[in-house]
Amino acid sequence: MPTFKEISLAAVAVGAGAALVYYFWKSKKKPWDDWQQEGVHVRDPDELQRKLRKMVADGADKLQVISDFDMTLTKFWVNGQRGMTSHALLETNSLLPLSYREKVAALKEKYYAIETSSTIAVDDKLQHMEEWWGQGHDALVACGVHRSVLGKIVQEGNTTLRGGCQHLFAMLRNSNVPLMILSAGIGDLIDEVLNQQVSVYRNIHVVANYMDFDENDMVVGFKGHLIHTFNKTENSIRSSDYFQEIKVRWNVLLD
């Protein structure tokens, strides 16, 4: 049985709620016994207790976990430096031409302030985000990227999964609970990070922007619906077989 310390490490990866649910599934302990620990802050303990009781009563077959990737499953700081997002892995690597790196840096200079503005409504940001992501993807296609360099780009980058990820992934797998990683990042690089750093199980589903390759394994575009910061919703998966699997899992832990 995992200890509370081990589960706490897992909590760093996908959220304290997920970790606590699994802790008291495994230990049969009441979760609220541990809410008084230093560093645990609960706005409404009674409401949280009600929700957790229901999750436990409903069982694992009614639970799903949804997590972001960049700076959620991955560390914000790595060896004293800011960790890289999946986009930044491409945007800073010298394997890609300087013209590409300068182009995407200019796009970030223009659009990042819009993305993070507290005075611009989300609806007014949508077109700007589509322009940013779309132009960045077009720039990547234009510079000519071969599938074979993606693994090396991840190896040379500064993207590291949080320490509790492997433990939590295994717990979810063992309980047959699906984990959806829903990201506005680059799906191919997210897959590379996962494959290089942890064991990847069949219950893990990555929904992100995936590259499209030609018969020579050169990037020629991106597949399907563009996902950016403000449109990461169930619409990204509604038409997929995966949606049919999870739609009966009404208890969701979202990080």
Side-chain angles (χ1 to χ4, degrees):
M1 183 185 73
T3 66
F4 184 78
K5 181 178 181 181
E6 290 172 330
I7 303 300
S8 297
L9 291 174
V12 176
V14 184
L20 282 172
V21 167
Y22 276 96
Y23 177 59
F24 50 81
W25 271 348
K26 299 294 183 180
S27 67
K28 307 303 181 183
K29 187 176 182 180
K30 295 178 181 179
W32 39 91
D33 292 343
D34 292 304
W35 288 351
Q36 303 302 315
Q37 293 199 54
E38 183 179 357
V40 177
H41 303 278
V42 180
R43 184 179 63 179
D44 188 341
D46 291 339
E47 178 64 10
L48 179 57
Q49 183 178 133
R50 183 191 67 78
K51 290 179 178 179
L52 292 177
R53 285 181 184 276
K54 184 178 187 304
M55 285 185 174
V56 174
D58 288 346
D61 60 341
K62 299 304 179 185
L63 178 68
Q64 59 174 297
V65 177
I66 303 174
S67 177
D68 192 11
F69 184 76
D70 294 320
M71 309 304 165
T72 302
L73 291 179
T74 62
K75 294 181 179 181
F76 193 90
W77 294 102
V78 181
N79 298 324
Q81 296 182 329
R82 174 74 179 269
M84 292 180 180
T85 65
S86 54
H87 276 107
L89 285 168
L90 290 170
E91 296 168 355
T92 59
N93 194 287
S94 60
L95 289 172
L96 277 70
L98 179 61
S99 59
Y100 166 75
R101 288 177 276 146
E102 290 177 341
K103 172 67 174 178
V104 294
L107 290 172
K108 183 175 182 179
E109 180 71 21
K110 176 180 179 179
Y111 289 107
Y112 182 70
I114 298 174
E115 179 189 25
T116 58
S117 173
S118 60
T119 60
I120 301 175
V122 170
D123 286 346
D124 295 331
K125 294 181 179 183
L126 296 179
Q127 182 176 345
H128 295 293
M129 295 304 101
E130 290 176 4
E131 292 172 355
W132 184 7
W133 262 252
Q135 291 177 39
H137 291 175
D138 289 345
L140 182 67
V141 172
C143 70
V145 177
H146 194 272
R147 191 198 300 265
S148 63
V149 305
L150 300 182
K152 188 173 183 181
I153 286 173
V154 169
Q155 290 171 1
E156 294 180 352
N158 194 31
T159 300
T160 303
L161 292 170
R162 295 183 184 273
C165 283
Q166 180 62 77
H167 186 56
L168 186 58
F169 291 173
M171 289 186 350
L172 293 171
R173 187 276 309 269
N174 292 340
S175 294
N176 295 315
V177 173
L179 165 63
M180 179 171 68
I181 299 173
L182 179 57
S183 173
I186 307 294
D188 308 84
L189 293 177
I190 292 171
D191 287 346
E192 278 289 342
V193 172
L194 293 171
N195 285 319
Q196 290 185 23
Q197 298 184 20
V198 294
S199 297
V200 181
Y201 305 115
R202 293 183 62 183
N203 66 309
I204 298 176
H205 305 266
V206 178
V207 179
N209 296 298
Y210 274 90
M211 299 174 186
D212 196 12
F213 297 91
D214 65 13
E215 65 276 8
N216 297 313
D217 278 346
M218 300 298 294
V219 178
V220 294
F222 280 77
K223 300 176 182 178
H225 174 67
L226 187 151
I227 303 174
H228 57 71
T229 305
F230 299 110
N231 70 346
K232 295 189 294 183
T233 68
E234 70 175 22
N235 290 329
S236 300
I237 62 165
R238 181 171 286 277
S239 61
S240 68
D241 292 338
Y242 180 63
F243 182 77
Q244 300 305 312
E245 174 188 343
I246 64 170
K247 69 179 183 180
V248 297
R249 294 176 176 269
W250 51 71
N251 290 326
V252 180
L253 289 170
L254 176 65
D255 192 32

